[in-house]
Amino acid sequence: FMDELRKQPGIGASGLEFAILTAARTGEVIGAKWEEIDTDKAVWIIPDERMKGAREHRVPLSSAALAILANMREIAQSNYVFPGGKKDRPLSNMAFLQLLKRMERGDLTAHGFRSTFRDWTAERTNYPNEVAEMALAHSVGDKVEAAYRRGDMFEKRLRIMNDWARYCETPDTDSDNVVSMRGS
């Protein structure tokens, strides 16, 4: 899929690839602003008001995600990393869905790649559950554990995101055993 995605023209294709590589939600990606990105520290800091859980989220950026940002910086038209067709507006929240339809991949959703990331961490890696859940900006543990947890496992999440990017780069050699979960 990633090979086919990279052949697609446009900002939507870059945005979807960035969403996949960061395991971020569509709204977080299309609303991303340059002021949230620190390429020197390889981090994207999504402010709490843009997060589903209303908590700031630091996203470690793999070299592949940084490459997308470098390409987007070259064509920057506004403060939005992935600008839309209208001046000073972000990409439409339908852009990824429309892209998938053009690619004749109606069996996929942008949000489904977050699930793919979670399945990959559980089935193909030894990363602890907490690291995967924090990468997805999910709450970890109960209220007591949350009260004592001060860190965000950033260094571990940086490793997991780099491994995820490498996995996404690797051609699938076992694709004939994939079963679509959606009816025709």
Side-chain angles (χ1 to χ4, degrees):
F1 176 82
M2 293 298 275
D3 284 342
E4 289 303 312
L5 178 60
R6 289 184 179 125
K7 292 175 188 173
Q8 302 301 310
I11 294 170
S14 295
L16 180 56
E17 183 179 356
F18 188 78
I20 292 167
L21 292 171
T22 58
R25 293 175 182 90
T26 297
E28 295 161 2
V29 172
I30 64 174
K33 294 183 177 180
W34 287 111
E35 64 209 32
E36 299 170 359
I37 309 286
D38 185 336
T39 54
D40 293 335
K41 293 182 180 175
V43 63
W44 169 29
I45 301 173
I46 308 170
D48 56 357
E49 63 268 10
R50 291 202 325 99
M51 290 298 300
K52 183 178 179 182
R55 278 190 335 230
E56 179 182 279
H57 182 55
R58 294 189 320 149
V59 180
L61 299 170
S62 65
S63 57
L66 288 169
I68 292 168
L69 293 172
N71 290 336
M72 294 309 301
R73 181 58 93 183
E74 289 179 17
I75 63 166
Q77 306 165 7
S78 73
N79 195 31
Y80 288 102
V81 176
F82 302 102
K86 295 181 182 175
K87 184 174 173 55
D88 296 322
R89 300 291 302 159
L91 200 60
S92 163
N93 65 353
M94 295 298 288
F96 299 163
L97 180 63
Q98 293 303 318
L99 171 65
L100 291 168
K101 284 183 181 178
R102 281 194 306 277
M103 294 175 69
E104 298 180 358
R105 292 308 307 258
D107 59 321
L108 302 177
T109 65
H111 194 78
F113 288 104
R114 285 172 52 85
S115 178
T116 301
F117 168 80
R118 189 61 185 94
D119 289 345
W120 169 79
T121 59
E123 296 176 11
R124 303 254 181 135
T125 78
N126 291 321
Y127 286 103
N129 180 53
E130 294 83 9
V131 176
E133 289 299 305
M134 285 187 128
L136 291 167
H138 289 165
S139 296
V140 176
D142 59 19
K143 288 182 181 184
V144 173
E145 184 178 351
Y148 285 93
R149 186 180 299 275
R150 301 272 192 264
D152 65 359
M153 298 184 185
F154 188 82
E155 291 303 318
K156 289 180 180 182
R157 290 188 301 115
L158 177 58
R159 287 194 297 275
I160 199 173
M161 298 319 286
N162 280 319
D163 287 347
W164 171 241
R166 276 190 294 280
Y167 176 77
C168 289
E169 292 280 329
T170 307
D172 185 12
T173 57
D174 198 23
S175 62
D176 57 334
N177 69 1
V178 176
V179 177
S180 176
M181 298 301 284
R182 191 179 273 186
S184 356

